[in-house]
Amino acid sequence: MVQDVELKVEGLKKYFPIKRGIKSVMKRESPRFVRAVDGISFEIRKQQIFALVGESGCGKTTTGKLIMKLIEPTEGRIFLRGQDVSHLKSKEENLRYRKMVQMIYQDPFSSINPRFRVYDVLEEPLIIHGIGNSRSEREEMIHHALELVRLTPPEEFVSRFPHMLSGGQRQRVAIARTMILNPEFVVADEPVSMLDVSIRAEILELLRRLRDELGLTYLYITHDLSTARYFSDWIGVMYLGRIVEMGEVDMVIDNPLHPYTRALLEAVPEPEPERKEIIKSLPIKGEVPSAVNIPDGCRFHPRCVYAKMGLCDTKHPEMIEFERNHYVECHLVGKI
Amino acid sequence: MLLRVTDLKTHFFTTRGVVRGVDGVSFTLEKGEVLGLAGESGCGKSTLGYSLIRLVPPPGRIVGGEIELDGLNLTSMNENTFRREVRWKRISMIFQGAMNALNPVYSIGYQMMEPFKYHTDASEDEAKERIARHLELVGLDPEIVSRYPHELSGGMKQRVMIAMALLLEPDLVIADEPTTALDVIVQAQIINLLKKLKKELGLSLIFITHDLSILAEISDKIAVMYAGKIVELGDSEIIYENPKHPYTQKLLAAIPRVHERVDKLEFIPGAPPNLANPPPGCRFHPRCPYAIKICMEKEPGKEVLDDGRVIYCHNIPR
Ligand SMILES: Nc1ncnc2c1ncn2[C@@H]1O[C@H](COP(=O)(O)OP(=O)(O)OP(=O)(O)O)[C@@H](O)[C@H]1O
Ligand SMILES: Nc1ncnc2c1ncn2[C@@H]1O[C@H](COP(=O)(O)OP(=O)(O)OP(=O)(O)O)[C@@H](O)[C@H]1O
Ligand code: SF4
Ligand SMILES: [Mg+2]
Ligand SMILES: [Mg+2]
């Protein structure tokens, strides 16, 4: 059964201007930009989990913030259930959007106010959105949210301060705060990367259960391909502000087409001690260029071991659907 | 044998009680061997590392046990001798989060000079030559000595920290989460580098991380810690292929693997204990599915299995 499209993003761009010194302004140098997100398009079907992976600084969080509408896009459009939400004008529209779309932040240690008790942490969004008519109604919602994330019995947890919780419990409070508004769509920005394996597994299981029970749709941002494979249905691989490969998660991971995806997969550590003497050969060269000076042609070409000069360094490759539900942006696809 | 640690105890004397960070740990390490130290956050991995180099932060203190390096008793040695003869020269440590500890106002070269000032009588030229050589060893261009930390990427800074730990050519390096903040490609480069140093220099390494996949890539032996104690210790192949301790089994089952599709990840319900007041008996018993009556009453003793592994458990699952 093909599900409806929940979220769609079209040609999204975010350029951050670089602050210029007075000298550079006087010399009338043209302003320079960090091209954090540089023209990405994808869609996420209802109740699916779309993983956005890629190395540090490639633009994952910026994409998440654009979807959350915490920052304005430089170009491009965002649709939620077919409705263009790129520029919400009225305050009511904005508030409604902020209730439907929620974000789980990366760091469970700093995303919760340390002076708030768990109760206050969860009541705050209800008050902001004017939900619950009485204190007892809100209390019931708070208890329900805590039960949802298995912080039970709720009475035990409501009066605790964050420092009285373990890392995994804190992250569950953060998730409860996200879920209490009954969102449709959740951006989960590295929700488990700070946690160790056992808690990580627990939180991912929880998020998946909430997806099934509440019918949620997620954008899962991570640099960890193993959890991406385990947790998501679709995956987009980002490099320097663009999605270079995208598709059903099993197809992309079992049959990576883009040289960058291949390098990423090659680098993932596997719990196989037989390989401990082997020095891995990584099919990638050099360091990531800065998002201020993006290379011409294919932006991956200076690091690509397959790059064909005269083509890859001059012409930007178009995204093509190489096989059903598997897209890639590379001149040499199918030839390497 | 390079290192022998016997019944080591390091406790923190806080106003709210004694926190037993390391509580009776024993292991040995051969020259050229890599020991991987794994376990959940707060189980005492860093405290063990700090104890070996005798830099336990106050209010912590080594309160029992022995550390021997090449037959030399490090626990009874006076601090002056230890500083002159051992720290950085024979044992060095790459601290957790160290790359962020590089001082932003000094150049890389200036910061790399420091160890020479305190620990050797090398001339400035000798020191510079050695710095250049070690930067090359970790795959960095020696000209970066004139750069400042903010001009380097995370992976480059981490390589500077590794070069610094190697400068005085120690026998043993303790690497505390050296790759945790880095993405997979840089991480793989650093692991490759450490493998190369092990091969070429015969370096002994204690590699600390909570990420068991990374440990598999590099360790000869694995020690799994829980609540201040080692619960299982053995050859890494043996531990990975056939974990016996219930805690090790759970820990390994919680790892998602990129090349396989798993339907459900295991996790360990509950939280690790408070080390100021650990549970009696086996410290893992409140979370252990195999716990029997004796687990709640008596601490499990050391048992050596036929395959050479050491395990502490009353009811080893079959
Ligand atoms: N407010 C800002 N002003 C200027 N540049 C920015 C701003 N926010 C992000 N950037 C830059 O945009 C690029 C993408 O950043 P982003 O935070 O989206 O990366 P990321 O993929 O989430 O990385 P990480 O995995 O490290 O979290 C980086 O080069 C970053 O330095
Ligand atoms: N200075 C200190 N004062 C009091 N307790 C401390 C101090 N330093 C560490 N501890 C406690 O000692 C125990 C072991 O801490 P340690 O830092 O060794 O853990 P770890 O295994 O390295 O954890 P992580 O994976 O989070 O780095 C923890 O319970 C910690 O709270
Ligand atoms: S000793 Fe008992 S409680 Fe501890 S791990 Fe073994 S079976 Fe579980
Ligand atoms: Mg980010
Ligand atoms: Mg530590």
Side-chain angles (χ1 to χ4, degrees):
Chain A
M1 181 183 63
V2 179
Q3 294 276 9
D4 296 340
V5 174
E6 178 81 3
L7 183 99
K8 183 171 160 182
V9 152
E10 235 177 48
L12 204 58
K13 288 189 183 175
K14 181 68 193 179
Y15 291 2
F16 293 107
I18 297 177
K19 288 206 184 67
R20 291 188 296 164
I22 184 79
K23 261 199 211 136
S24 132
V25 176
M26 301 272 284
K27 281 197 281 182
R28 292 172 190 274
E29 284 172 5
S30 50
R32 303 199 322 144
F33 295 95
V34 180
R35 287 150 67 182
V37 172
D38 204 10
I40 63 173
S41 304
F42 59 88
E43 49 183 52
I44 310 181
R45 295 184 178 278
K46 190 159 172 47
Q47 286 200 46
Q48 291 223 320
I49 301 175
F50 186 101
L52 201 55
V53 303
E55 64 204 315
S56 186
C58 69
K60 305 182 296 294
T61 297
T62 306
T63 305
K65 285 185 180 163
L66 284 166
I67 290 172
M68 286 298 297
K69 305 200 53 67
L70 297 173
I71 50 179
E72 277 290 301
T74 307
E75 247 179 58
R77 298 203 292 172
I78 302 168
F79 299 88
L80 186 70
R81 299 200 166 161
Q83 192 203 341
D84 189 339
V85 292
S86 324
H87 305 281
L88 296 177
K89 280 166 215 84
S90 71
K91 216 174 149 199
E92 291 73 47
E93 276 180 321
N94 255 301
L95 208 59
R96 211 168 72 84
Y97 189 79
R98 268 170 226 294
K99 185 169 170 295
M100 277 169 78
V101 181
Q102 288 287 316
M103 183 148 172
I104 302 169
Y105 294 91
Q106 170 163 9
D107 179 359
F109 298 94
S110 67
S111 68
I112 301 178
N113 186 334
R115 285 187 298 267
F116 275 20
R117 290 176 191 274
V118 169
Y119 189 92
D120 309 315
V121 171
L122 296 179
E123 194 181 31
E124 191 186 32
L126 295 179
I127 291 174
I128 291 174
H129 289 276
I131 297 168
N133 297 318
S134 61
R135 196 175 153 90
S136 67
E137 202 172 312
R138 286 195 296 270
E139 188 170 343
E140 198 177 308
M141 288 169 156
I142 289 166
H143 282 201
H144 179 70
L146 286 171
E147 271 160 11
L148 205 60
V149 298
R150 303 262 156 93
L151 286 174
T152 48
E155 302 78 34
E156 171 86 20
F157 288 93
V158 281
S159 57
R160 292 206 200 172
F161 286 102
H163 71 263
M164 299 158 133
L165 301 168
S166 74
Q169 289 171 338
R170 246 179 274 195
Q171 191 61 296
R172 280 187 277 168
V173 170
I175 292 170
R177 185 179 52 181
T178 305
M179 299 303 171
I180 203 164
L181 291 173
N182 268 322
E184 312 272 340
F185 186 86
V186 172
V187 176
D189 190 1
E190 310 257 21
V192 294
S193 63
M194 296 265 297
L195 306 170
D196 48 61
V197 276
S198 168
I199 315 174
R200 195 181 288 186
E202 180 181 356
I203 298 288
L204 290 177
E205 284 296 334
L206 168 67
L207 288 174
R208 219 158 58 174
R209 182 170 62 81
L210 295 177
R211 187 263 309 251
D212 297 339
E213 286 175 11
L214 308 176
L216 295 173
T217 308
Y218 292 108
L219 176 70
Y220 173 54
I221 296 177
T222 182
H223 63 258
D224 179 0
L225 281 148
S226 316
T227 61
R229 164 153 219 176
Y230 160 71
F231 185 56
S232 48
D233 305 295
W234 270 63
I235 189 170
V237 179
M238 258 186 115
Y239 184 76
L240 269 186
R242 283 190 77 84
I243 292 182
V244 295
E245 182 162 2
M246 173 168 78
E248 276 176 22
V249 72
D250 289 346
M251 292 175 100
V252 172
I253 287 179
D254 292 335
N255 181 25
L257 297 170
H258 197 283
Y260 176 65
T261 314
R262 289 187 187 178
L264 267 184
L265 279 163
E266 203 54 53
V268 174
E270 286 276 320
E272 288 166 15
E274 307 78 53
R275 295 166 44 160
K276 69 171 187 282
E277 299 297 333
I278 304 167
I279 295 199
K280 278 187 181 173
S281 63
L282 292 172
I284 193 162
K285 309 181 282 193
E287 305 264 339
V288 205
S290 120
V292 181
N293 286 311
I294 291 185
D296 288 336
C298 166
R299 58 192 64 208
F300 185 60
H301 87 262
R303 302 184 74 196
C304 182
V305 293
Y306 305 101
K308 206 163 123 195
M309 290 307 137
L311 175 64
C312 299
D313 57 341
T314 50
K315 194 165 166 281
H316 168 70
E318 294 300 326
M319 172 79 76
I320 58 157
E321 185 168 13
F322 183 73
E323 53 187 329
R324 203 178 128 69
N325 289 344
H326 192 173
Y327 299 78
V328 60
E329 203 177 78
C330 168
H331 289 300
L332 302 179
V333 61
K335 302 190 190 92
I336 50 175
Chain B
M1 186 187 315
L2 179 69
L3 180 76
R4 177 199 292 279
V5 175
T6 320
D7 202 25
L8 183 70
K9 292 188 176 159
T10 303
H11 295 173
F12 294 94
F13 295 87
T14 70
T15 47
R16 298 169 73 184
V18 181
V19 177
R20 297 153 187 271
V22 172
D23 205 22
V25 160
S26 306
F27 65 91
T28 61
L29 186 70
E30 302 294 329
K31 189 168 165 39
E33 212 175 32
V34 179
L35 171 72
L37 195 59
E40 277 166 298
S41 183
C43 69
K45 304 181 296 295
S46 298
T47 306
L48 177 55
Y50 286 128
S51 305
L52 299 179
I53 191 169
R54 287 191 26 186
L55 285 177
V56 180
R61 202 165 74 229
I62 297 178
V63 295
E66 257 175 35
I67 305 168
E68 257 176 75
L69 183 78
D70 254 348
L72 215 60
N73 186 329
L74 300 188
T75 16
S76 63
M77 186 180 277
N78 75 44
E79 172 57 24
N80 265 332
T81 321
F82 190 87
R83 189 173 56 216
R84 239 186 7 249
E85 308 287 338
V86 181
R87 192 178 298 136
W88 307 124
K89 256 184 153 167
R90 304 210 56 192
I91 305 182
S92 70
M93 183 157 172
I94 303 163
F95 297 107
Q96 190 168 5
M99 65 180 187
N100 304 318
L102 281 169
N103 192 324
V105 300
Y106 294 113
S107 69
I108 298 297
Y110 182 91
Q111 299 189 54
M112 291 188 81
M113 256 337 210
E114 297 272 294
F116 289 100
K117 288 192 201 141
Y118 298 111
H119 301 279
T120 69
D121 36 26
S123 71
E124 190 165 330
D125 283 347
E126 275 167 14
K128 280 190 175 151
E129 191 274 328
R130 202 131 125 203
I131 289 171
R133 192 150 42 85
H134 280 90
L135 285 172
E136 272 175 0
L137 195 65
V138 300
L140 291 172
D141 186 338
E143 69 80 34
I144 69 154
V145 288
S146 59
R147 294 218 223 158
Y148 289 83
H150 71 267
E151 298 174 296
L152 303 180
S153 74
M156 290 165 90
K157 280 191 272 192
Q158 195 59 330
R159 274 180 271 178
V160 168
M161 297 314 298
I162 294 172
M164 273 169 91
L166 295 172
L167 267 185
L168 304 184
E169 290 165 5
D171 306 295
L172 170 66
V173 174
I174 302 158
D176 193 358
E177 306 271 9
T179 60
T180 306
L182 305 170
D183 53 68
V184 280
I185 290 177
V186 185
Q187 197 173 317
Q189 286 167 342
I190 301 266
I191 300 281
N192 275 349
L193 167 66
L194 291 171
K195 282 183 186 172
K196 194 181 95 185
L197 296 174
K198 176 192 167 191
K199 254 195 195 126
E200 289 175 7
L201 310 178
L203 193 68
S204 306
L205 195 64
I206 296 183
F207 195 106
I208 301 178
T209 178
H210 63 253
D211 188 336
L212 279 159
S213 317
I214 297 175
L215 280 192
E217 294 261 340
I218 188 159
S219 314
D220 301 302
K221 282 202 274 189
I222 301 273
V224 179
M225 275 184 89
Y226 185 78
K229 292 178 174 292
I230 288 178
V231 296
E232 187 167 12
L233 165 69
D235 283 349
S236 66
E237 273 91 348
I238 293 176
I239 303 276
Y240 277 95
E241 257 128 63
N242 184 15
K244 290 264 192 214
H245 195 283
Y247 178 63
T248 316
Q249 290 184 347
K250 288 283 185 186
L251 216 50
L252 281 170
I255 308 178
R257 318 211 165 178
V258 76
H259 293 295
E260 290 164 34
R261 185 100 204 174
V262 266
D263 284 330
K264 196 167 165 35
L265 289 176
E266 296 250 0
F267 57 87
I268 316 171
N274 173 0
L275 292 183
N277 184 19
C282 169
R283 291 184 179 180
F284 188 55
H285 88 251
R287 303 172 75 188
C288 180
Y290 300 97
I292 48 178
K293 188 159 175 288
I294 188 176
C295 303
M296 295 159 213
E297 293 157 0
K298 194 165 164 274
E299 218 176 275
K302 169 174 170 177
E303 200 175 330
V304 184
L305 303 189
D306 289 343
D307 55 20
R309 93 175 82 196
V310 174
I311 185 167
Y312 297 80
C313 174
H314 288 301
N315 189 19
I316 301 172
R318 317 259 141 221

